[in-house]
Amino acid sequence: MSEWKDICKLTDLAANTGVCALHNGEQVAIFLDGKEQKVHAISNFDPIGKANVLSRGIIGDIKGRLVVASPLYKQHFCLETGECLEEPENSVKAYQVRVEGDVVQLQA
Amino acid sequence: MSKQKIIVVGNGMVGHKFIENMIEHPDYDQYEVVTFSEEPRLAYDRVQLSYYFAGKTVDELMLTSPDYYDENGVRFIVSDKVVNIDHANKKVVTESGREESYDKLILATGSYPFVPPIPGKDQEHCLVYRTIEDLEGMTASAKVSKVGVVVGGGLLGLEAANALKNLGLETHVVEFAPRLMAVQLDEGGGQLLRSKIEELGVSVHTEKNTTEIVAGETCRYRMNFADGSHIETDMILFSAGIRPQDELARQFDIEIGPRGGIVIDNYCQTSAKDVYAIGECALWDGKIFGLVAPGYNMAKVAVSHITGGGLAFEGADMSTKLKLLGVDVASIGDAQARTPGCLSYTYADGHAGVYKRLVVSADNKKVIGAVLVGDVEAYGNLLQMMLGDIEIPGSPEALILPSIDGAAPALGVDALPDSAQICSCHDVTKGDIFEAVKGGCTDLAGIKSCTKAVTGCGGCAAMTTQVMNAALTEMGVEVDDSLCEHFSYTRQEIFDIIRVKGIKSFDELLESYGQGRGCEICKPAIGSMLATHWNEYVLDDKHIGLQDTNDVFLANMQRDGTYSVVPRIAGGEITPEQLIVLGEVGRDFGLYTKITGGQRIDFFGAQLHELPPIWERLVEAGFETGHAYGKSLRTVKSCVGSTWCRYGMLDSVSMAVNLEMRYKGLRSPHKLKMAVSGCTRECAEAQGKDVGVIATDKGWNLYLCGNGGMKPRHADLFAQDLDDETLLKYIDRFLMFYCRTADKLQRTSVWMDNLEGGLEYLHEVIVEDKLGICEELEADMQRVIDTYECEWKKTLNSPERLKRFAHFINSDLTDDNLAYVEMRGQAKGRIATDEERQKQAKGVEIETVELV
Ligand SMILES: Cc1cc2nc3c(=O)[nH]c(=O)nc-3n(C[C@H](O)[C@H](O)[C@H](O)COP(=O)(O)OP(=O)(O)OC[C@H]3O[C@@H](n4cnc5c(N)ncnc54)[C@H](O)[C@@H]3O)c2cc1C
């Protein structure tokens, strides 16, 4: 069984927005999808704009896929897999995330 | 092979057009072009001459520039008149003695105003109206005159009367014929035009034959008429027709017509070998064409003939549509019904001031002429039916009768042949527009820049739009202007839904009118519309997810993920104490500090967690948010104005502060910039802004829809001499109308270029309240003004919101990806990496590099 690490309260997340967490020395962007009340986590680093900003993008869906648009140059990253829709070679890491009670946890 | 040398005598509208066509010709490298101008400058737009009095500068009237000629190897000599043609040796000589040989000679000498031989006509304040120098003369004369008379009630005369009126003179028009515009209008049309013009305060005197101009009693001069009456005036402007400038032909053995004009054949050749004549100096089939379009056509034909092409000149249609003294007038074909056997239909509405006459062929099947006064909507239709020789569908009277049931009996553009000319100023056909659409121009702005249609007199805007839409439909392009995959409505439709249904949140709208979750296109667009209409706090739970990161953190994200901070400095006015606070904040937080183009101060390099403490200091010192991050009003730039400046007419700083405080916080389709200048020297560069205000000695002039940036657009003069109250009223209405009807992220300049009906239509909506919505627009604006709150002040009072201002939700550490070098004495400087530079070169919009 894998271990889970507490990150923050669910109430720290406003619906349809993201926050950034420091996790094992990595920056992780965590989003709350308001429609299904589900959390998603991918790397916070935008490999195209080369800055730690993905948690500050707007989320939505493109042809049915849940995505965040980079606030820098607007490429879309899939919230479930980290895939960059426009430039798959610039995809980012996706993280296991869950809500236990009112606590958001990342897999250690 | 040596180059053929072409000399163009006269650099007027047509001479320049000829040169332009030569330059664009694929074989241009085999020719050498030299042009002489008697006037002190290169070609300018004579057609738009009257706009000089509405604020257009000489620079804006120019059609070409020395640079353009230099780049294309055209030699030009200004202020030197050609006085001699030596056919035998194929050379010309100028007044200053310059000699130049030619292989082909083009006479494009235009025409000159005809001044009737009235005793006393050569006195000081007796003027004509044809060149920029004439305009300067009129302006100078108007300064020392109270009353002005225009001799001649034709098209140009009435334009001149408008100019005199604008110059503040009591204006009279004296006409020899029994009615105004005798060439273009019939009795009924002339009558209505007269009464409309008299309503505007211009006196019209018809059937007056001036016999002499003598010293006056109450004014400078007295004009005595043949019928014994007289009129007193300080200034006289002759506009009694034009005469072709054919003196060179006269003197040097080139055939001219019995009443003047250089005789040309269908290829624009004169009687002399290798000599062509084009434009208003040329006589074709016994006719002089006093309009620019036929001249342009001749220029094309002459270029074709010289370069071995087969174009021929086949005459021109003289139909016209224009606004004279604010009255719409149009004349088509045989307006006076002179064709034997023709029939005519007349419609007159005395109440609305509309007169229409339709002239049709004897068999009642074809349009052969028309007169329209007061309502010229039918012009495009009727003209195309006449030119295309199209059979009238149904009964002819339907073409001019107002449609009672709302359905105008319009002729579909589908019925037009490809060769139908849509824009006569630039000779753009239906086929040209179709081609442009196929080449990728899918909006009116694109069609304008690629075909030049609509950019002349503008009369063809509606027709051009119809043709463009027909082309799009034919290509199977569904003009899909829906917002994005989540909403199949246009931005304007969504705005109406929000207003009419009273919708207050994105989720509510999505549920009833959209699908899916939304995206980074529809969310900020709808967030902006909700804010324009309801003006709720953008960081409310239900709105925060809609905002771009800039709005979420109320600051502008820079390329490394840090933010810049811009407090509002309304009108650029700031106290020394406030300036000190800004200096201290910049120093204490180690921020890179720069003055922006919008007269305020921008701090760079602030990290998320630093934003609240920075703003605490700023708010304490009385600063408010500057909305540099929002699609909203940025700044109102100003010059120092009459409080200090020796030239200032009005207090531009107070007005700028006023405007900035009034419209701050208004969320709009795109950012808005304004400026106020205290006089026409225009130090605030107001004509490059969305809203520009310039003081005159009589009030404020309002300019709209200007833009700097990548594609500069000069603002249009919208209204003149306004008092403070009217100025604000018009701006209120304008801004709200723009907010309601623009597309997402559409600046006012592009919005205007795509607005069907253009400036005139905007005037009708905002000044004449054609749509009956002005009261509503003002009320909507008032609500935004009344509900303004500084977003930073509000955010600082909300601990819940402040939690977001940290890089990590679970740690106090900060982003370790940031790197700075010291630059010119400031702690934080960043040098773009090559990769970043390349990204920019590719044209990806980097919202945040702009400092306003
Ligand atoms: C106020 C006003 C409003 C108008 N409005 C309209 C309108 O709405 N629609 C429309 O279609 N037309 C309009 N016109 C008419 C239009 O301007 C003319 O048809 C057009 O300018 C003709 O062009 P052109 O080149 O033949 O002559 P011009 O533009 O007059 O150019 C001729 C040039 O040749 C120069 N020249 C003459 N002789 C010599 C010489 N010997 N050596 C060197 N240079 C010489 C002249 O100084 C002049 O600069 C208007 C004209 C005026 C004055």
Side-chain angles (χ1 to χ4, degrees):
Chain A
M1 267 306 284
S2 49
E3 302 245 324
W4 292 86
K5 201 167 125 192
D6 291 355
I7 299 297
C8 61
K9 291 253 176 66
L10 183 60
T11 48
D12 291 337
L13 291 172
N16 300 318
T17 67
V19 295
C20 172
L22 186 59
H23 181 59
N24 299 336
E26 291 175 17
Q27 296 198 15
V28 181
I30 304 176
F31 302 90
L32 174 61
D33 171 26
K35 190 164 174 181
E36 289 177 13
Q37 282 295 311
K38 261 184 82 177
V39 287
H40 301 273
I42 62 172
S43 165
N44 190 41
F45 188 69
D46 171 357
I48 297 160
K50 302 235 181 309
N52 289 309
V53 294
L54 290 185
S55 62
R56 290 175 255 165
I58 290 180
I59 69 168
D61 56 0
I62 296 293
K63 303 211 169 63
R65 292 181 75 178
L66 201 54
V67 293
V68 60
S70 163
L72 282 171
Y73 304 107
K74 315 291 180 214
Q75 291 87 359
H76 298 98
F77 295 86
C78 176
L79 294 189
E80 272 145 356
T81 63
E83 187 191 339
C84 174
L85 269 44
E86 288 80 7
E87 304 176 20
E89 67 278 15
N90 277 316
S91 297
V92 301
K93 186 169 159 189
Y95 294 80
Q96 293 299 318
V97 61
R98 70 177 185 190
V99 181
E100 277 292 296
D102 68 340
V103 179
V104 178
Q105 298 179 323
L106 283 169
Q107 197 166 44
Chain B
M1 209 184 92
S2 77
K3 292 188 176 189
Q4 277 218 45
K5 186 162 157 193
I6 302 176
I7 291 186
V8 183
V9 183
N11 195 257
M13 295 189 76
V14 175
H16 168 64
K17 192 63 166 188
F18 173 88
I19 294 171
E20 200 178 62
N21 288 345
M22 277 308 297
I23 291 172
E24 283 165 12
H25 196 279
D27 298 337
Y28 177 59
D29 57 359
Q30 294 165 27
Y31 297 90
E32 178 193 350
V33 177
V34 183
T35 183
F36 289 95
S37 171
E38 182 187 358
E39 293 191 56
R41 56 178 67 77
L42 293 177
Y44 53 90
D45 194 347
R46 222 180 283 288
V47 171
Q48 308 270 335
L49 207 55
S50 300
Y51 287 90
Y52 178 85
F53 295 109
K56 267 215 173 167
T57 62
V58 172
D59 271 355
E60 289 169 68
L61 288 172
M62 292 309 292
L63 291 174
T64 182
S65 65
D67 284 351
Y68 175 72
Y69 279 3
D70 283 342
E71 275 160 29
N72 291 288
V74 175
R75 273 201 290 137
F76 55 91
I77 297 98
V78 296
S79 301
D80 202 2
K81 182 175 172 183
V82 172
V83 293
N84 192 337
I85 304 176
D86 178 351
H87 297 295
N89 297 307
K90 289 187 104 172
K91 63 176 192 186
V92 299
V93 185
T94 70
E95 208 161 41
S96 74
R98 190 191 300 259
E99 287 190 14
E100 198 81 52
S101 66
Y102 64 82
D103 295 306
K104 306 276 180 199
L105 180 65
I106 315 294
L107 301 176
T109 47
S111 62
Y112 61 89
F114 168 68
V115 178
I118 302 167
K121 70 178 167 55
D122 294 323
Q123 303 176 66
E124 198 189 341
H125 294 271
C126 297
L127 311 167
V128 295
Y129 190 26
R130 178 138 192 116
T131 64
I132 284 176
E133 283 66 32
D134 293 338
L135 301 179
E136 291 165 353
M138 281 166 70
T139 313
S141 171
K143 287 211 172 102
V144 292
S145 300
K146 287 206 176 64
V147 183
V149 166
V150 175
V151 178
L155 208 146
L156 283 186
L158 295 181
E159 226 179 278
N162 194 35
L164 293 193
K165 199 169 150 267
N166 284 343
L167 287 168
L169 300 187
E170 174 192 323
T171 307
H172 299 261
V173 173
V174 169
E175 167 61 51
F176 180 69
R179 63 168 180 275
L180 295 174
M181 289 184 70
V183 183
Q184 294 89 354
L185 299 184
D186 65 342
E187 181 75 44
Q191 272 303 338
L192 178 61
L193 179 61
R194 175 186 186 141
S195 66
K196 288 203 160 206
I197 285 175
E198 287 186 327
E199 263 169 44
L200 297 169
V202 172
S203 313
V204 177
H205 313 264
T206 47
E207 291 183 272
K208 295 289 177 201
N209 181 7
T210 312
T211 51
E212 58 177 353
I213 300 164
V214 296
E217 278 167 26
T218 56
C219 293
R220 193 174 287 132
Y221 304 125
R222 167 185 288 207
M223 299 169 71
N224 286 323
F225 302 127
D227 63 4
S229 61
H230 68 260
I231 189 171
E232 296 255 330
T233 181
D234 297 309
M235 178 221 265
I236 300 169
L237 193 64
F238 289 101
S239 183
I242 53 165
R243 293 289 178 270
Q245 181 50 274
D246 55 10
E247 64 176 331
L248 281 173
R250 246 172 233 279
Q251 288 167 22
F252 302 101
D253 230 17
I254 298 173
E255 187 188 347
I256 56 171
R259 288 164 58 218
I262 309 170
V263 174
I264 57 168
D265 65 9
N266 293 354
Y267 305 102
C268 300
Q269 300 179 100
T270 67
S271 64
K273 191 169 175 318
D274 292 326
V275 181
Y276 296 75
I278 55 178
E280 279 188 347
C281 63
L283 185 76
W284 179 86
D285 191 25
K287 291 186 274 255
I288 293 283
F289 296 93
L291 291 177
V292 72
Y296 280 0
N297 207 352
M298 290 180 197
K300 214 154 113 178
V301 169
V303 167
S304 159
H305 193 258
I306 289 169
T307 54
L311 289 184
F313 184 73
E314 289 162 348
D317 177 62
M318 299 296 279
S319 302
T320 33
K321 173 183 135 188
L322 64 172
K323 215 181 186 100
L324 288 169
L325 289 138
V327 183
D328 286 308
V329 181
S331 159
I332 295 174
D334 182 10
Q336 331 247 14
R338 297 221 170 95
T339 312
C342 67
L343 307 167
S344 62
Y345 296 83
T346 313
Y347 169 79
D349 174 348
H351 174 66
V354 172
Y355 173 88
K356 302 186 203 176
R357 177 189 199 177
L358 176 70
V359 184
V360 301
S361 56
D363 60 4
N364 213 14
K365 291 214 167 100
K366 305 276 173 69
V367 173
I368 59 174
V371 174
L372 306 168
V373 178
D375 172 7
V376 294
E377 221 167 293
Y379 178 78
N381 239 326
L382 296 177
L383 180 63
Q384 292 302 338
M385 293 188 73
M386 181 188 76
L387 296 177
D389 206 26
I390 293 164
E391 202 160 298
I392 299 171
S395 46
E397 66 270 24
L399 294 172
I400 52 166
L401 286 178
S403 52
I404 306 296
D405 56 3
L411 165 79
V413 287
D414 294 340
L416 301 177
D418 270 0
S419 60
Q421 191 187 50
I422 306 295
C423 169
S424 59
C425 298
H426 293 285
D427 185 21
V428 182
T429 62
K430 177 182 165 189
D432 295 335
I433 296 174
F434 264 67
E435 218 154 273
V437 171
K438 286 183 184 139
C441 304
T442 51
D443 60 7
L444 191 57
I447 298 285
K448 278 187 194 170
S449 74
C450 136
T451 65
K452 290 196 182 168
V454 197
T455 60
C457 72
C460 61
M463 204 72 176
T464 302
T465 312
Q466 284 170 32
V467 173
M468 177 184 81
N469 288 337
L472 288 167
T473 315
E474 190 189 285
M475 282 165 63
V477 178
E478 257 204 58
V479 196
D480 182 12
D481 41 13
S482 48
L483 206 55
C484 66
E485 66 174 75
H486 304 102
F487 290 93
S488 37
Y489 295 93
T490 63
R491 183 185 176 282
Q492 181 172 353
E493 286 164 346
I494 292 182
F495 204 111
D496 289 342
I497 293 172
I498 290 174
R499 272 194 316 116
V500 177
K501 304 277 175 190
I503 289 177
K504 294 191 112 169
S505 74
F506 180 82
D507 288 344
E508 215 181 317
L509 186 74
L510 188 70
E511 189 166 330
S512 315
Y513 298 92
Q515 62 223 18
R517 287 179 169 81
C519 63
E520 84 287 356
I521 294 173
C522 59
K523 283 183 171 181
I526 289 165
S528 155
M529 284 184 262
L530 290 169
T532 305
H533 197 65
W534 304 112
N535 207 23
E536 291 179 343
Y537 181 46
V538 293
L539 301 189
D540 256 2
D541 276 344
K542 61 178 189 280
H543 300 315
I544 190 165
L546 309 178
Q547 315 299 337
D548 272 314
T549 181
N550 286 358
D551 283 281
V552 174
F553 296 105
L554 308 171
N556 292 40
M557 182 187 269
Q558 303 300 323
R559 62 194 338 154
D560 61 354
T562 65
Y563 289 84
S564 70
V565 171
V566 191
R568 187 167 298 290
I569 300 179
E573 186 180 64
I574 188 163
T575 65
E577 280 73 23
Q578 287 177 313
L579 209 45
I580 289 168
V581 172
L582 292 182
E584 287 170 352
V585 167
R587 181 195 59 204
D588 295 352
F589 289 88
L591 302 170
Y592 172 80
T593 306
K594 191 169 188 319
I595 310 256
T596 75
Q599 301 187 331
R600 44 193 194 174
I601 290 173
D602 203 340
F603 297 114
F604 289 83
Q607 296 185 50
L608 269 186
H609 67 277
E610 293 175 312
L611 292 173
I614 289 174
W615 273 103
E616 234 155 72
R617 296 264 297 268
L618 294 173
V619 166
E620 196 178 321
F623 286 102
E624 292 186 327
T625 182
H627 289 103
Y629 45 82
K631 303 284 181 250
S632 53
L633 175 70
R634 298 287 168 88
T635 65
V636 184
K637 186 171 173 174
S638 71
C639 69
V640 78
S642 60
T643 32
W644 292 95
C645 177
R646 279 176 296 151
Y647 303 107
M649 291 285 178
L650 292 170
D651 182 359
S652 48
V653 181
S654 294
M655 180 51 81
V657 172
N658 212 339
L659 291 177
E660 189 156 343
M661 297 313 264
R662 186 174 181 83
Y663 301 117
K664 64 183 179 186
L666 170 71
R667 290 290 201 288
S668 45
H670 210 305
K671 62 190 166 199
L672 289 167
K673 298 179 187 178
M674 305 189 184
V676 184
S677 277
C679 76
T680 52
R681 282 174 187 74
E682 242 283 69
C683 297
E685 297 163 334
Q687 292 167 91
K689 304 285 188 255
D690 299 280
V691 174
V693 176
I694 301 178
T696 72
D697 53 350
K698 297 196 211 79
W700 302 104
N701 282 358
L702 174 60
Y703 290 79
L704 296 178
C705 304
N707 191 10
M710 186 139 77
K711 227 175 135 200
R713 181 184 194 276
H714 212 283
D716 293 307
L717 178 64
F718 181 76
Q720 285 174 283
D721 305 329
L722 306 175
D723 56 30
D724 289 14
E725 197 189 331
T726 315
L727 176 72
L728 294 183
K729 203 160 72 180
Y730 286 176
I731 300 177
D732 279 4
R733 295 173 181 179
F734 163 72
L735 290 175
M736 263 303 158
F737 187 56
Y738 159 67
C739 286
R740 276 192 188 183
T741 59
D743 200 359
K744 58 181 184 296
L745 299 181
Q746 190 176 43
R747 292 292 299 266
T748 59
S749 54
V750 180
W751 172 73
M752 173 63 117
D753 283 340
N754 276 306
L755 193 66
E756 208 181 300
L759 188 64
E760 224 171 85
Y761 174 68
L762 194 61
H763 205 270
E764 288 167 0
V765 173
I766 290 176
V767 178
E768 295 157 31
D769 199 8
K770 180 181 177 164
L771 305 180
I773 55 170
C774 284
E775 210 175 303
E776 203 178 285
L777 295 174
E778 283 175 44
D780 282 355
M781 182 59 82
Q782 195 57 48
R783 185 173 53 237
V784 173
I785 296 166
D786 292 343
T787 50
Y788 172 81
E789 268 183 302
C790 170
E791 289 159 357
W792 261 113
K793 202 167 182 181
K794 182 151 179 142
T795 304
L796 289 176
N797 288 330
S798 158
E800 196 46 39
R801 289 283 156 243
L802 287 177
K803 263 204 292 199
R804 302 187 64 85
F805 291 86
H807 190 76
F808 294 114
I809 193 78
N810 59 345
S811 163
D812 289 337
L813 293 177
T814 56
D815 191 3
D816 57 3
N817 187 37
L818 307 174
Y820 297 105
V821 294
E822 197 189 291
M823 257 177 106
R824 289 180 293 276
Q826 296 212 45
K828 284 187 179 168
R830 267 186 107 250
I831 300 166
T833 63
D834 280 352
E835 212 175 320
E836 285 167 337
R837 260 192 276 268
Q838 271 165 14
K839 189 156 289 147
Q840 266 210 310
K842 268 191 268 165
V844 183
E845 190 191 0
I846 300 184
E847 182 66 30
T848 43
V849 290
E850 191 205 24
L851 295 183
V852 180

